[in-house]
Amino acid sequence: GKWKNKERVLIFSSRGINFRTRHLMQDLRTLMPHSKADTKMDRKDQLFVINEVCEMKNCNKCIFFEAKKKQDLYMWLSNTPQGPSAKFLVQNVHTLAELKMTGNCLRGSRPLLSFDPIFDKEPHYALLKELFIQIFSTPQYHPKSQPFVDHVFTFTVTDERIWFRNYQIIEEDASLVEIGPRFVLNLIKIFQGSFGGATLYENPHYRSPNMHRRLIRLSVAAKFREKQQVKEVQKIKKKGSKALIREDPTEVVFETPAEEQPVEIQLVKPESKPIVKDKKKPRKIQRKKQKKLFRTEA
């Protein structure tokens, strides 16, 4: 057949990504034979420069990984140069080598795309569905693709996030075995243009990683302050004077007073005890003298 749908996807990243992001980017290039690679982009450059890079590489779609603070990863999906484009926060990344799944599919084969039913109900999810179809589906009769369909890309919406999974189709009973990679996309914004422009949709449930880390620090600090306040209250209670309890007049009702004994005054001096002398004491003194004499003679 003739290759008519000439979709080409540029997959590259900014500088400062970690090893897991680099492996994820390489896995996507392996699974998508219609993708192209490029060198890392400098963080000082503006994002609209990517449109020129895509034009030089003859690509009309782009997946760009943007790293911030060496711990937060963002993914841009864009239709260059007209738009639209979407920005996601990538979480829970697991690569092909990390998962060690038992599944194995043919390299360069065309995937099936499976979407959650919610993608047809919400307008912003419908826009993302069309963007996913144009980027992740391998064009028919692509020179680097294989004429087989043996794995599935699934996009599921759970907890206001998009969960990406890759499964192999087993021929015997049509069961699915996960291959990988897997990651979670938390939608931030959808823009009208490519890497910018008017905002079409903004996720109200999105919370930035900086805010999330700040809330964790505040909760830990609140627990520490609460412990310190409890200790101070305990110290104040220990230092404070004890409250005097009023005497209960009914306490002495059942007490029986002891009998008074007559006072006896002793007028005669008590007899002194006889002093018992130690009879063995002279013998001990004599033995010590003999020992001294023996030592001096020796």
Side-chain angles (χ1 to χ4, degrees):
K2 190 177 180 181
W3 177 32
K4 296 180 181 179
N5 182 20
K6 295 189 177 183
E7 296 281 354
R8 299 181 183 88
V9 183
L10 180 64
I11 303 177
F12 72 119
S13 68
S14 65
R15 297 193 181 277
I17 61 172
N18 54 12
F19 69 96
R20 183 174 279 109
T21 306
R22 187 173 67 252
H23 291 172
L24 174 64
M25 186 171 57
Q26 189 62 39
D27 293 342
L28 291 179
R29 290 172 182 169
T30 305
L31 294 173
M32 300 164 63
H34 60 294
S35 64
K36 288 187 176 183
D38 194 22
T39 57
K40 294 179 181 179
M41 194 180 76
D42 197 355
R43 282 181 287 184
K44 294 180 181 179
D45 296 337
Q46 299 295 328
L47 291 178
F48 61 83
V49 180
I50 300 175
N51 296 325
E52 300 177 3
V53 177
C54 292
E55 187 179 356
M56 288 188 293
K57 287 285 184 178
N58 195 18
C59 296
N60 51 4
K61 300 290 185 295
C62 180
I63 299 177
F64 178 68
F65 291 95
E66 185 181 7
K68 291 185 178 180
K69 294 187 176 181
K70 297 184 179 180
Q71 55 184 345
D72 302 330
L73 178 63
Y74 298 92
M75 178 192 285
W76 286 84
L77 300 179
S78 176
N79 180 22
T80 58
Q82 292 86 11
S85 60
K87 185 180 181 181
F88 301 90
L89 174 67
V90 186
Q91 298 172 326
N92 301 334
V93 177
H94 298 280
T95 59
L96 280 170
E98 185 181 358
L99 287 175
K100 297 181 181 178
M101 297 294 183
T102 56
N104 184 21
C105 66
L106 184 65
R107 181 168 182 172
S109 60
R110 300 180 65 216
L112 293 174
L113 299 185
S114 174
F115 291 93
D116 196 275
I118 198 172
F119 277 94
D120 298 326
K121 298 177 183 178
E122 301 290 338
H124 60 281
Y125 281 131
L127 178 60
L128 291 177
K129 178 181 178 180
E130 186 62 30
L131 195 61
F132 288 146
I133 290 173
Q134 294 181 15
I135 290 177
F136 287 97
S137 61
T138 303
Q140 192 176 11
Y141 304 120
H142 191 277
K144 293 183 180 180
S145 66
Q146 300 291 337
F148 302 102
V149 178
D150 59 353
H151 64 287
V152 184
F153 290 162
T154 63
F155 297 90
T156 310
V157 178
T158 306
D159 193 21
E160 304 296 336
R161 291 170 174 83
I162 300 173
W163 299 62
F164 175 86
R165 296 289 185 271
N166 181 21
Y167 298 96
Q168 179 198 358
I169 304 172
I170 299 176
E171 296 180 359
E172 289 78 10
D173 53 353
S175 61
L176 300 177
V177 178
E178 187 175 358
I179 305 172
R182 58 162 69 167
F183 52 87
V184 179
L185 299 176
N186 191 0
L187 178 63
I188 303 173
K189 285 183 181 181
I190 300 176
F191 298 95
Q192 185 177 0
S194 177
F195 297 97
T199 302
L200 298 179
Y201 176 79
E202 185 175 358
N203 187 7
H205 305 283
Y206 171 72
R207 182 185 294 170
S208 65
N210 292 333
M211 181 62 67
H212 181 67
R213 288 190 286 266
R214 180 175 177 272
L215 292 176
I216 292 175
R217 290 195 298 269
L218 289 176
S219 64
V220 173
K223 289 181 181 179
F224 180 76
R225 283 197 301 269
E226 186 178 354
K227 288 183 180 179
Q228 293 296 324
Q229 289 175 1
V230 171
K231 289 182 180 179
E232 290 177 0
V233 171
Q234 290 177 353
K235 288 181 180 178
I236 292 170
K237 285 183 178 179
K238 288 180 180 178
K239 290 181 179 178
S241 59
K242 296 181 180 179
L244 296 175
I245 302 173
R246 296 180 180 179
E247 294 183 358
D248 190 2
T250 60
E251 285 184 356
V252 296
V253 172
F254 298 100
E255 290 184 358
T256 54
E259 296 180 358
E260 295 182 0
Q261 295 181 356
V263 180
E264 295 182 358
I265 300 172
Q266 191 173 4
L267 301 175
V268 182
K269 182 181 178 181
E271 295 180 357
S272 60
K273 293 181 180 180
I275 299 170
V276 180
K277 293 184 178 180
D278 189 5
K279 296 180 180 180
K280 296 181 180 180
K281 194 172 183 179
R283 295 180 184 178
K284 292 179 181 178
I285 295 169
Q286 190 176 359
R287 284 178 187 173
K288 286 182 181 179
K289 289 180 180 180
Q290 288 177 359
K291 286 180 180 179
K292 285 184 180 179
L293 290 171
F294 181 74
R295 288 174 185 171
T296 52
E297 290 176 358

